[in-house]
Amino acid sequence: MSSTTAAVNETRHSSLVPMIIIGVLFFIFGFVTWLNGPLITFVKLAFNLDDVNAFLVPMAFYLSYFFLALPSSFILKKTGMKKGMGLGLFVMAIGAVMFGQFVTMRVYPGALTGLFVIGAGLSLLQTASNPYISILGPIESGAQRIAFMGICNKVAGALAPFVFGAVVMSNIGTFDKQIAAAASPAEKDALLAAFAAKVHMPYMVMAALLVVLAIWVVRSSLPEIKPSSDNSERAIGHDKGSLLSFPHLWLGVLCLFVYVGVEVMAGDAIGTYGQGFGMSPAETSHFTSFTLIAMLVGYVAGLLLIPRFVSQQRYLAFSAILGVVFSIGTYVTSGYVSVAFVAALGFANAMMWPAIFPLAIKGLGRLTEFGSAFLIMGIAGGAVIPVLFAHLKQHFDFQGVFLCLMVPCYLYILYYGAAGHRVGQHVRD
């Protein structure tokens, strides 16, 4: 074997190990994150809530990113990315224990606190893993690598509602009838308490697995990456300065904010959307999986097309146009066809995060971790936009509200893909 061939094989191997490890982490992200969809239905029943209060589930989860992403960047500066990822998994384990325990006790604020802590661990993981995979190779192909991570993420996400449905939400149709037929408030309360307690063991098992994964990541051969040299400012014609001197980053933060909002609307809120047509919780409990299957198809398309046939920024713009078209489709149709258009938004959304993140952190150099933290804060869009939907649909037609929230978001994403990602840079794409 020649020395050149040996060097190529060694490079491939050195990239493969981090890809596998980060892929496992993205699988965990997906499973935990996409439990929020069925959890909305679950807490609505277990705690006897209306839609507005049930939607505090994604709000508590995603707001943790806003408050804790920036502190995460300081932690990562101290610990390095590998130990930071391990710490994030351990924090998630604590949150899982809290959530399972408080739900069993039927203390809703405590359950929301558990979700907030899970989100805190995820904010640390996301702040480390997204820039890590973006600059593991050329930044121009960052979307392709994140798309592979997205497949790991969404396979887990597609499995999550089915696993949760089989373990916790089985016989949900008959449970509704049992609650309605309860002879007394005490009997109804006992039924609800037994239903709530079904999450305890699954979340304890999840916590144990997260601790094992934390130990595995810390002891793994995952190498450290130095953003100051691997994501140089010279790539965009920039010569030092504060984060304020990178306008493409701040436009990207807003882009991620609106993107996560529309992703959660298409994934977590699809069940509530279907119920607007009179569909039962039993019918809508698996709708999130349909959105995630559409996202998986979108990731495969992105893997095949980027960057060989189309750049990540052009694909982002095309995806945004699809988002506008599918959003209009939800409004001009009804019933299962309208729900299918919501699910199809998964395809349009698939390559948005993989494209936005590397475009926004390009050329940040020594400030990459801090820039990534602000981008992760943008995940708070998943807390704001769905809650707006839950509030506004009480006063206006839910299809009209959905359209009016989604289309402006996709139009801004179109702007960022077409022009916004270049603002302030002195080197052409």
Side-chain angles (χ1 to χ4, degrees), residues 84-337:
M85 291 177 198
L87 179 60
L89 288 165
F90 186 73
V91 172
M92 286 176 66
I94 295 172
V97 170
M98 291 176 64
F99 180 80
Q101 191 62 39
F102 280 118
V103 169
T104 302
M105 296 165 62
R106 294 189 68 211
V107 179
Y108 192 46
L112 293 175
T113 302
L115 288 174
F116 186 88
V117 174
I118 292 173
L122 275 170
S123 70
L124 187 54
L125 280 169
Q126 294 265 29
T127 304
S129 61
N130 281 283
Y132 188 99
I133 204 68
S134 294
I135 61 179
L136 185 63
I139 198 78
E140 292 76 18
S141 59
Q144 188 181 52
R145 289 188 298 280
I146 298 179
F148 175 76
M149 297 301 130
I151 290 174
C152 299
N153 183 282
K154 295 310 181 288
V155 166
L159 289 174
F162 287 103
V163 173
F164 190 81
V167 175
V168 177
M169 302 281 280
S170 57
N171 302 319
I172 188 70
T174 58
F175 180 74
D176 265 346
K177 295 175 182 177
Q178 287 178 312
I179 292 295
S184 67
E187 182 182 347
K188 179 180 179 180
D189 193 62
L191 286 169
L192 290 172
F195 178 66
K198 292 173 74 174
V199 304
H200 189 269
M201 184 54 68
Y203 270 81
M204 297 304 111
V205 171
M206 182 191 298
L209 289 174
L210 287 168
V211 170
V212 171
L213 280 170
I215 296 170
W216 174 64
V217 168
V218 171
R219 293 186 174 181
S220 72
S221 59
L222 194 67
E224 288 289 351
I225 284 181
K226 296 181 178 179
S228 57
S229 57
D230 293 314
N231 187 31
S232 173
E233 297 175 42
R234 289 191 295 273
I236 61 170
H238 192 278
D239 186 21
K240 298 184 179 180
S242 69
L243 278 179
L244 295 176
S245 63
F246 296 94
H248 74 286
L249 166 67
W250 300 108
L251 293 171
V253 170
L254 179 57
C255 195
L256 269 184
F257 180 92
V258 298
Y259 159 69
V260 177
V262 297
E263 182 188 62
V264 174
M265 286 287 288
D268 289 349
I270 188 172
T272 302
Y273 184 91
Q275 289 167 26
F277 292 112
M279 301 175 191
S280 70
E283 288 179 280
T284 62
S285 62
H286 295 145
F287 281 2
T288 295
S289 292
F290 299 140
T291 301
L292 293 170
I293 290 168
M295 291 191 84
L296 281 172
V297 176
Y299 281 126
V300 172
L303 276 173
L304 294 175
L305 297 173
I306 300 173
R308 180 178 299 177
F309 299 106
V310 62
S311 67
Q312 53 197 12
Q313 54 268 29
R314 288 186 178 178
Y315 199 93
L316 176 61
F318 169 73
S319 297
I321 293 170
L322 274 184
V324 172
V325 172
F326 291 159
S327 295
I328 293 171
T330 67
Y331 184 73
V332 299
T333 58
S334 61
Y336 286 106
V337 176

Side-chain angles (χ1 to χ4, degrees), residues 11-24 132 136 216 220-223:
T11 301
R12 287 175 178 172
H13 176 73
S14 64
S15 297
L16 180 62
V17 173
M19 289 280 284
I20 292 172
I21 294 172
I22 303 298
V24 171
Y132 188 99
L136 185 63
W216 174 64
S220 72
S221 59
L222 194 67

Side-chain angles (χ1 to χ4, degrees), residues 352-410:
M352 290 185 177
W353 178 289
I356 295 167
F357 207 96
L359 287 172
I361 67 167
K362 184 177 180 181
L364 295 189
R366 71 197 188 284
L367 299 173
T368 299
E369 292 97 337
F370 295 111
S372 298
F374 282 106
L375 285 165
I376 296 302
M377 289 172 70
I379 292 176
V384 176
I385 294 173
V387 170
L388 279 175
F389 174 68
H391 277 280
L392 292 172
K393 80 182 188 67
Q394 294 183 319
H395 307 288
F396 306 99
D397 171 58
F398 74 97
Q399 285 184 279
V401 170
F402 189 89
L403 179 73
C404 290
L405 286 174
M406 301 293 270
V407 169
C409 292
Y410 284 120

